Amino acid sequence: MIRRTFIAALAFAAALPVTAWAEAPLKVVATTGMIADAVRQIGGDEVDVKGLMGPGVDPHAYRQTRSDIVAMTRADLILWHGLYLEAQMQDFFHDLGRKRPVVAVAEGVDTSKLRAHDDYADKFDPHVWMSPALWRDVVVEVQAALTEARPEAADLFASNAQVHLAEIEQLEAYAAEALASVPENNRVLVTAHDAFGYFGAEYGYEVMGIQGISTQSEAGLNRIGELVDTLVGQQLGAVFVESSVSDRSMRALIEGAAARGHEVGVGGELYSDAMGEPGTYEGTYVGMLDHNITVIAGALGADVPDRGMNGKLSAGF
Ligand code: ZN
């Protein structure tokens, strides 16, 4: 009798954690909106994700707030980008990693696919989400991290990841077609900072940022002067502002060109390092890129669908 009760108690104790796992969603904290979106797409109802950086937030400059720290100490899993994107939080994550499960998801991308950082010889350009093909590698890293944190949901994560990866492949096909229909002479992207290196390399565009790969260094007058020369010399008609970077330098550029008798317009606002509003199509990774591709191709002279690849963009081009 005593023995049977003991066995029943053991069985109960063994069953309890499984029940608890299955009922409570996995608490995940992600730094950028793009990573939070990947977690949401793959994790579905099994995860409860909090993204620290909302629309318009610059990850190069962001520092953790008190409430971020509270959320991270309560999380089952913390995902950051890495590759020196969150430059101000580098030490924080290295410390946190000794106590909590912390994964730098972009650091799983094979370094042979990465571009050099123009400011630091030992670092890479972190803006890998600008290439959908590279972002698929990050999505796979997110899937692996979620699976390790909750192995019971491995099959669900795998099937959701397949669906999401297929959606990104569809985006790649749209990007290739839309961007290749821009007249060759117009394939120049002038932006506030160098977030579009991977994008340019993949689609054959020359990219020029007023600021470098990080937004931390002020743009010098020399750099603005050089870009004015390029705009006037190549007769480029459009430049692009970014949702997470001030447009002050961009205005200086447009005025500089105007002073030399060359009119340049703003081709549109791009989502460089942050997505659109939560709950909107632009507040998802696919919507963010669809917006950028459609705005860039349209402003530079291609005939693109008014509301993007599947008619979901809120503001048409
Ligand atoms: Zn950036």
Side-chain angles (χ1 to χ4, degrees):
M1 189 62 189
I2 290 168
R3 201 164 157 256
R4 275 176 65 188
T5 313
F6 178 66
I7 289 167
L10 268 185
F12 177 71
L16 190 60
V18 175
T19 315
W21 270 122
E23 280 174 2
L26 189 72
K27 283 205 212 61
V28 183
V29 170
T31 52
T32 68
M34 292 74 86
I35 300 172
D37 181 63
V39 172
R40 222 169 270 125
Q41 303 291 339
I42 298 166
D45 294 341
E46 285 286 321
V47 302
D48 178 5
V49 58
K50 177 183 168 66
L52 301 184
M53 303 175 192
V57 173
D58 176 359
H60 303 282
Y62 191 83
R63 281 174 197 278
Q64 66 279 7
T65 64
R66 201 178 281 239
S67 71
D68 292 347
I69 296 170
V70 171
M72 286 188 267
T73 53
R74 289 179 184 161
D76 301 309
L77 177 65
I78 298 119
L79 302 179
W80 61 306
H81 187 84
L83 298 178
Y84 210 57
L85 176 71
E86 303 97 331
Q88 314 302 319
M89 295 167 84
Q90 198 78 358
D91 295 342
F92 173 80
F93 282 120
H94 286 144
D95 284 345
L96 190 66
R98 295 194 196 101
K99 298 167 234 157
R100 314 286 308 154
V102 173
V103 182
V105 287
E107 292 185 1
V109 177
D110 192 315
T111 53
S112 67
K113 299 181 183 176
L114 299 178
R115 294 170 60 81
H117 198 299
D118 54 11
D119 295 334
Y120 308 98
D122 61 335
K123 292 187 170 60
F124 297 103
D125 178 348
H127 302 90
V128 292
W129 59 90
M130 289 299 182
S131 153
L134 277 181
W135 189 248
R136 282 192 280 114
D137 290 356
V138 177
V139 166
V140 170
E141 292 298 319
V142 171
Q143 182 198 342
L146 291 177
T147 305
E148 194 173 336
R150 183 163 283 189
E152 310 87 283
D155 291 348
L156 173 80
F157 295 156
S159 68
N160 285 349
Q162 284 313 311
V163 171
H164 189 45
L165 291 168
E167 212 180 5
I168 298 176
E169 280 174 14
Q170 195 195 336
L171 177 74
E172 282 170 72
Y174 171 66
E177 196 190 337
L179 295 164
S181 55
V182 168
E184 248 169 78
N185 290 343
N186 290 356
R187 294 183 196 169
V188 182
L189 194 55
V190 180
T191 58
H193 88 297
D194 270 329
F196 293 84
Y198 292 103
F199 183 95
E202 189 143 337
Y203 301 108
Y205 279 60
E206 192 181 346
V207 295
M208 287 182 267
I210 300 177
Q211 283 176 288
I213 282 177
S214 168
T215 56
Q216 300 307 87
S217 49
E218 261 308 299
L221 282 178
N222 286 347
R223 180 65 182 151
I224 294 187
E226 272 169 31
L227 286 171
V228 168
D229 287 345
T230 307
L231 290 171
V232 176
Q234 298 190 30
Q235 291 291 296
L236 300 172
V239 293
F240 298 87
V241 294
E242 298 175 29
S243 66
S244 56
V245 184
S246 153
D247 63 358
R248 195 158 38 103
S249 305
M250 196 52 83
R251 287 202 303 269
L253 195 58
I254 293 169
E255 282 160 21
R260 290 184 37 195
H262 178 62
E263 198 184 322
V264 176
V266 172
E269 184 182 69
L270 304 178
Y271 297 112
S272 53
D273 292 359
M275 308 195 303
E277 292 296 324
T280 66
Y281 176 56
E282 289 82 352
T284 65
Y285 173 73
V286 169
M288 168 194 192
L289 270 276
D290 185 4
H291 168 94
N292 287 351
I293 293 156
T294 306
V295 167
I296 292 168
L300 298 180
D303 190 12
V304 285
D306 190 36
R307 305 246 161 190
M309 74 166 178
N310 50 26
K312 288 191 192 169
L313 290 178
S314 57
F317 170 70

